[in-house]
Amino acid sequence: GGLHGINLTNCAGTFTVNGGTITNPIDNSVLISGGSVVVSCAAAIINNSSLAVRIENHDSGNVTFAGNITATNFGIQVSNCNGGTKTFSGSSKNLNTMANTAVTLSANTGATINFTNGGLAISTTSSTGFTATGGGTVNIGIGAANNTITTTAAKAINLDGVLANVNFATISAGNVPTEGINLNNLSASSSFVVPGAVTLGMAAGSN
């Protein structure tokens, strides 16, 4: 494949993909950088070496990924977006990113980022599973398949300075040096729901 599966840099207008599969380009499967383009992508995304989706500096124009996402090594990154709604609505979002953070959302004041229809399955070894910091709204909704986070030796979830409405069926963080779950400076209307098991294991010598 090419460098990126889809590269939309400083684009306007509308971009629609009705199906198909984006498989293992050299770099990001989908890169949206700058501009105001409205994106609707129903393609399945598979990436075993780089980010499945990278959105940055995209301050207006809604983005929807309706296809399933499978990522190994790296996952999803949304940063410095000051507006618009970014939605990941596929029924399966399987992110097994090992030593890298599976979902990174940073400095998205004014933007709303949705993970809908469940199926957000995150697994890492030595890096945080899901992190959202520095503004914006983050919604993680339920579906037919559960939302789960499992880390071997890292924090499971880090939410700091956002409005978050989050629902995970289970969370497991093993051998963490500090906290397994960090919730800090969340907006008053935030909610954090885990109806199933929460398993947190502290590393030897941790306080």
Side-chain angles (χ1 to χ4, degrees), residues 67-189:
N68 292 337
I69 298 174
T70 303
T72 304
N73 287 323
F74 295 90
I76 294 169
Q77 183 181 99
V78 182
S79 62
N80 300 306
C81 295
N82 294 314
T85 299
K86 327 301 180 186
T87 300
F88 300 86
S89 61
S91 60
S92 174
K93 299 167 281 281
N94 192 348
L95 312 177
N96 181 7
T97 57
M98 295 181 283
N100 299 296
T101 298
V103 177
T104 302
L105 313 177
S106 62
N108 295 304
T109 301
T112 297
I113 303 164
N114 300 319
F115 294 84
T116 61
N117 294 326
L120 179 60
I122 291 173
S123 177
T124 73
T125 54
S126 55
S127 191
T128 301
F130 186 106
T131 183
T133 62
T137 299
V138 179
N139 299 309
I140 302 176
I142 61 174
N146 288 334
N147 299 316
T148 62
I149 301 180
T150 302
T151 66
T152 303
K155 189 179 300 179
I157 188 165
N158 177 49
L159 303 177
D160 192 343
V162 297
L163 193 167
N165 295 295
V166 172
N167 192 308
F168 281 94
T170 61
I171 292 177
S172 176
N175 296 313
V176 290
T178 54
E179 66 275 354
I181 296 172
N182 181 57
L183 309 178
N184 191 46
N185 294 321
L186 299 185
S187 296
S189 56

Side-chain angles (χ1 to χ4, degrees), residues 3-11 15 28-33:
L3 181 61
H4 305 289
I6 296 171
N7 181 358
L8 300 172
T9 298
N10 296 324
C11 293
F15 183 87
N28 311 133
S29 294
V30 179
L31 171 63
I32 303 170
S33 181

